[in-house]
C-alpha cells in the first residue's frame, strides 16, 4: 500500500481491542500501534499509555499536541499529532478509538478504516469483571452501550472476538488486506 492509513479499533469495553491490536502489531509489523494519552492513573494495564493529569491533558490539547482527543467513561483520551504526520508520510498506524470520535477521525484521516471488534455479552461481562477496574454498576453501564451503532459512511470491518485470539487476528489481517503469516495459521 503506497498511502498511509489509520486503522481505528473500536468496540465495546471487554471486546479484546487491545489484545487484537497487540496481535496485529506482532503479525504485521507495518501496523504500528498508537500510544494514547489518557487521564488515568499510571500502570493500570491493558495498554501502554501516557498517564496525564487533567491539567496536563488540557495543556497538551491547548498546545495542539493531539490530532484527536475526546472524553469517554469519565476519562480524556488523546492521539498525538505526530500520528497524522506518520500517516501522511505513508505509515499504517492502529489506534483504539471511541465510536464518539470516529466521524472526526474520518475528517482528519481520509484513509481511515474501522476494525469494529465485538464479542457476546457474556464474554464482555466476564472480561470486564476480570480486569478489576470497574465496579458492577460501571460494568452494567458499559454493557448497555454495546448496541449503539457506529456512525454512517465509514469503511468498517466487523470482527467477532469470542474465540482464540490468533483466529481473530488472522481474520482481521485478511479484512485489512494483509496476509496472515504462516506461524499464526499453522495447526488450525
Amino acid at each position: 500500500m503506497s498511502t498511509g492509513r489509520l486503522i481505528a479499533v473500536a468496540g465495546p469495553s471487554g471486546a479484546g481491542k487491545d489484545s487484537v491490536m497487540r496481535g496485529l502489531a506482532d503479525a504485521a509489523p507495518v501496523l504500528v500501534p498508537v500510544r494514547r494519552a489518557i487521564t488515568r492513573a499510571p500502570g493500570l494495564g491493558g495498554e501502554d499509555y501516557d498517564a496525564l493529569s487533567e491539567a496536563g491533558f488540557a495543556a497538551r490539547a491547548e498546545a495542539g499536541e493531539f490530532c484527536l482527543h475526546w472524553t469517554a467513561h469519565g476519562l480524556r483520551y488523546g492521539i498525538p499529532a505526530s500520528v497524522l504526520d506518520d500517516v501522511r508520510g505513508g505509515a499504517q498506524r492502529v489506534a483504539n478509538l471511541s465510536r464518539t470520535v470516529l466521524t472526526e477521525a474520518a475528517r482528519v484521516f481520509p484513509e481511515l478504516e474501522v476494525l469494529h471488534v465485538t464479542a457476546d455479552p457474556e464474554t464482555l461481562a466476564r472480561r470486564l469483571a476480570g480486569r478489576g477496574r470497574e465496579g458492577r454498576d460501571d460494568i452494567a453501564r458499559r454493557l448497555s452501550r454495546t448496541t449503539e451503532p457506529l456512525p454512517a459512511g465509514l469503511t468498517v470491518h466487523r470482527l467477532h472476538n469470542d474465540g482464540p485470539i490468533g483466529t481473530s487476528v488472522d481474520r482481521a489481517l485478511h479484512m485489512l488486506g494483509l496476509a496472515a503469516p504462516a506461524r499464526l495459521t499453522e495447526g488450525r
Side-chain angles (χ1 to χ4, degrees):
M1 174 174 287
S2 61
T3 60
R5 65 178 166 172
L6 178 67
I7 299 165
V9 178
S13 296
K17 297 181 296 286
D18 292 324
S19 296
V20 168
M21 288 176 58
R22 278 190 299 276
L24 287 171
D26 288 346
V30 68
L31 295 177
V32 178
V34 171
R35 184 179 173 109
R36 303 185 299 176
I38 307 174
T39 56
R40 176 190 291 157
L44 293 181
E47 69 176 291
D48 290 330
Y49 59 94
D50 293 330
L52 297 177
S53 66
E54 284 288 337
F57 191 99
R60 286 182 63 183
E62 180 72 24
E65 293 184 28
F66 301 125
C67 58
L68 293 171
H69 59 90
W70 67 96
T71 300
H73 309 297
L75 301 172
R76 295 182 74 188
Y77 298 82
I79 301 298
S82 61
V83 173
L84 181 57
D85 294 332
D86 294 346
V87 170
R88 285 179 176 160
Q92 296 189 59
R93 303 295 302 267
V94 59
N96 184 337
L97 298 185
S98 168
R99 72 182 73 227
T100 64
V101 78
L102 290 176
T103 300
E104 180 183 352
R107 282 193 296 271
V108 173
F109 295 92
E111 300 298 324
L112 180 78
E113 293 184 40
V114 178
L115 182 62
H116 186 221
V117 182
T118 63
D120 292 332
E122 299 79 20
T123 301
L124 297 175
R126 185 178 68 253
R127 289 176 180 165
L128 288 171
R131 293 193 319 196
R133 291 195 316 228
E134 297 97 358
R136 186 174 296 156
D137 291 342
D138 291 329
I139 290 172
R141 211 172 4 265
R142 285 179 181 258
L143 290 173
S144 71
R145 295 189 68 232
T146 63
T147 59
E148 292 178 22
L150 295 178
L154 301 173
T155 300
V156 177
H157 309 283
R158 300 190 189 284
L159 178 68
H160 197 80
N161 184 34
D162 271 314
I165 191 65
T167 301
S168 293
V169 168
D170 283 352
R171 285 195 314 257
L173 288 167
H174 177 73
M175 291 174 187
L176 296 169
L178 301 167
R183 67 177 177 77
L184 287 179
T185 57
E186 291 175 2
R188 293 207 185 139

